[in-house]
Amino acid sequence: MTTDTEFIPGAYAPATAEPLDKIEPTPVAEIADIVERAAKAQPDWAAKTLKERQKLLNEAAQRVLERAEEIADIVSMETGKSVNEVLLNEVAGIGEYAKVAAKEARQVLKPSKVSISSVAYPGKRAVVEAVPRGVVGIIAPWNYPLSIFFKPLFPALLSGNAVVLKPSEYTPRTGQWLADRFGEVIGEDLVGVVQGGGDVGAAFVESGIDAVTFTGSVPTGKKVAARAAELLIPASVELGGKDAAIVLADCDMERTLAGIAQWSLHNCGQNCGAIERVYVEEDIADEFVRRLGALAEHIRVHPTGDHCEIGPLQNPEQRAIVEDHVQQAIEEGATLVAGGEPCGDGLGYRPTVLDHCTEDMKVMSEETFGPVIAVARVADVDEAVRRANDSPYGLNGSVWTTDIRRGEGIARRLDVGIALVNNHAIPGSMANIPWTGTKDTGTGIAASRYSYPTFVRRRTLFVDKSKKPDPWWFPFDENSRELANSLIDFSRGSLMAGLGMAGVARRRVDAIRKWVGSTKSSE
Ligand code: NDP
């Protein structure tokens, strides 16, 4: 396939360029019905205990694992990744993910008792509860068409919501398959699906959903966030990246090279958390670049069957971007160390290493989303940190060094959501670490207990067991001033306790307790 071939998203296999059966988009007029069916099914689901929901979701995850090969074949067909890669990077983690997500849910969803001063507010108690939003819309991209759903799917369902998935039109079958497995166990209306492109996505946001999580590009994410703000529904947006790695002269060269190659090239670089820029200290740059180039040349690329480590790019637009970025970098003076050309029948592209890159090159400033490592040589750490932070994105940033403590200090200077030492983007597969960024990467938090504001609202249940009217209720009378002064005194007493004057504070509390207890009888 060439990038000029007429192309219908989702209707061809990227690895072989074979046509696939067309998946019909959901008619826009039917989207609201799917959401309504989910809304009707949701209250019964929410009425179950967390333990019951967890048990059913574990069963659904179990079904995915039982049919691992089947879904791996579908993902492989739709994306071009090898079955091995899909099994390892998209399927295998679901069991652990479900387990850890449930552990997080137990923490976040448990009602929290509010501590209320029995002196200032006698007879009162309050508890803050987590209430599911209703129907959560989950809009996903094509790069990890299965596992990207896990981040919102588990917390949303564990909290008692129904969900409706909107897979990318490039990978419609994977999203449908996942929804079917969950639907078989918990009820098909609770896990709806809408299929189609941008028009369907836009209509979906309008369709009556109560919250939306969006993973995708910056321009679309901004549109979704703006519309959600108008509709006053919570939106969590996880957008693009241009991650940097800083390689220090004292790094463990062997492991650093393996780590950089892994996190740049894995998934053919189509990873929001891919290392796209490497800032390496000048002292080790020659050796680092030479060995990184050799490593890239030895990676088994599409088409080399099941053991192929890197599949093709997923779609022709993506390959056109990669080709454009690489060509422009070379024209602007970058040195091509490895790769730099297509391979295979489909949309393959060789792992590429470029040296002497500068920020005016697209490979350093725009998201490439392909198997391209842009290397820049730096004089010292300060230059590396300044240049790493000079990006519109801020997802992951990593520092590679044998001096861990120094590495932590440098990592903290990176303007990113996930700062790492000697690894990169690995928290993306963990259910209890927030996946989040800064700047154009978006404000969303995916995964972990910190993601729950999208899935639950907080409701306060406040109960008053007092037999008398509160002392500050109407009517004001001759005692009101005395009460006000006593309360002010009490406040001062509380602050004194905080300042280490507990004895004085206690005497004031005793006095006000006596006073409040003796006034405003309801009889
Ligand atoms: P897009 O923004 O093009 O699409 C994302 C999803 O939104 C797709 O399902 C798409 O449908 C849908 N969509 C398109 N238009 C609208 C609209 N107006 N309203 C609502 N939904 C709409 O992104 P890509 O699919 O191209 O994904 C690649 C991008 O995703 C990269 O920028 C990458 O960095 C980012 N990404 C970010 C991650 C993160 O966690 N930060 C993780 C993974 C990827 P359709 O595809 O059918 O057009």
Side-chain angles (χ1 to χ4, degrees), residues 139-143 148 166-170 196-198 201-202 205 214-217 220 223-224 238-241 272 367 369 395 435 441:
I139 304 179
W142 44 263
N143 59 335
I148 231 158
K166 153 71 180 85
S168 166
E169 63 184 330
Y170 292 95
V205 177
F214 173 89
T215 313
S217 65
T220 317
K223 277 189 219 162
V224 169
E238 288 292 325
L239 312 178
C272 53
E367 192 176 37
F369 225 55
L395 187 50
W435 183 253
T441 295

Side-chain angles (χ1 to χ4, degrees), residues 114-122 124-126 462:
V114 181
S115 156
I116 295 179
S117 160
S118 61
V119 178
Y121 302 105
K124 293 151 186 54
R125 66 177 163 80
F462 193 100

Side-chain angles (χ1 to χ4, degrees), residues 391-469:
S391 165
Y393 299 107
L395 187 50
N396 300 268
S398 56
V399 181
W400 299 75
T401 173
T402 45
D403 185 341
I404 303 290
R405 177 158 295 198
R406 181 167 176 247
E408 285 178 22
I410 298 167
R412 285 202 180 91
R413 292 168 62 192
L414 298 175
D415 186 3
V416 293
I418 304 152
L420 304 99
V421 178
N422 293 333
N423 215 319
H424 200 96
I426 181 89
S429 59
M430 300 177 185
N432 51 358
I433 297 189
W435 183 253
T436 186
T438 61
K439 301 183 270 187
D440 272 1
T441 295
T443 53
I445 301 181
S448 85
R449 65 190 64 182
Y450 306 102
S451 68
Y452 276 74
T454 312
F455 308 117
V456 292
R457 65 182 176 83
R458 296 290 163 180
R459 174 180 60 207
T460 301
L461 183 67
F462 193 100
V463 175
D464 196 332
K465 293 196 296 189
S466 306
K467 297 225 164 36
K468 295 179 191 175

Side-chain angles (χ1 to χ4, degrees), residues 206-449:
E206 308 283 337
S207 65
I209 52 176
D210 302 292
V212 60
T213 70
F214 173 89
T215 313
S217 65
V218 175
T220 317
K222 283 184 177 173
K223 277 189 219 162
V224 169
R227 191 60 193 127
E230 282 170 359
L231 293 165
L232 290 178
I233 59 171
S236 174
V237 297
E238 288 292 325
L239 312 178
K242 188 76 192 169
D243 285 3
I246 294 176
V247 178
L248 302 185
D250 71 348
C251 74
D252 172 340
M253 180 68 83
E254 195 79 23
R255 187 174 181 282
T256 300
L257 285 163
I260 301 277
Q262 171 70 29
W263 288 111
S264 302
L265 303 173
H266 145 87
N267 210 37
C268 199
Q270 300 165 123
N271 180 354
C272 53
I275 298 174
E276 296 207 357
R277 301 173 289 153
V278 179
Y279 296 97
V280 57
E281 282 195 302
E282 187 68 67
D283 290 355
I284 58 161
D286 282 343
E287 182 190 355
F288 176 81
V289 170
R290 180 177 49 74
R291 292 179 62 181
L292 187 63
L295 229 167
E297 296 282 6
H298 280 95
I299 287 174
R300 277 193 295 264
V301 292
H302 162 76
T304 44
D306 251 11
H307 297 296
C308 145
E309 286 145 348
I310 297 182
L313 291 154
Q314 201 279 339
N315 57 70
E317 290 97 327
Q318 202 49 57
R319 193 164 84 181
I321 293 170
V322 171
E323 286 175 330
D324 172 51
H325 283 200
V326 171
Q327 194 184 331
Q328 190 248 3
I330 294 167
E331 281 164 12
E332 296 289 326
T335 310
L336 180 66
V337 182
E341 58 184 4
C343 58
D345 296 333
L347 295 167
Y349 196 84
R350 288 201 182 286
T352 299
V353 178
L354 294 161
D355 192 10
H356 301 292
C357 295
T358 54
E359 274 70 19
D360 50 357
M361 299 171 187
K362 291 181 193 171
V363 280
M364 294 290 278
S365 58
E366 296 176 19
E367 192 176 37
T368 304
F369 225 55
V372 180
I373 314 176
V375 180
R377 296 162 179 240
V378 291
D380 55 26
V381 166
D382 286 342
E383 183 187 348
V385 170
R386 180 179 51 75
R387 291 176 70 177
N389 285 339
D390 182 17
S391 165
Y393 299 107
L395 187 50
N396 300 268
S398 56
V399 181
W400 299 75
T401 173
T402 45
D403 185 341
I404 303 290
R405 177 158 295 198
R406 181 167 176 247
E408 285 178 22
I410 298 167
R412 285 202 180 91
R413 292 168 62 192
L414 298 175
D415 186 3
V416 293
I418 304 152
L420 304 99
V421 178
N422 293 333
N423 215 319
H424 200 96
I426 181 89
S429 59
M430 300 177 185
N432 51 358
I433 297 189
W435 183 253
T436 186
T438 61
K439 301 183 270 187
D440 272 1
T441 295
T443 53
I445 301 181
S448 85
R449 65 190 64 182

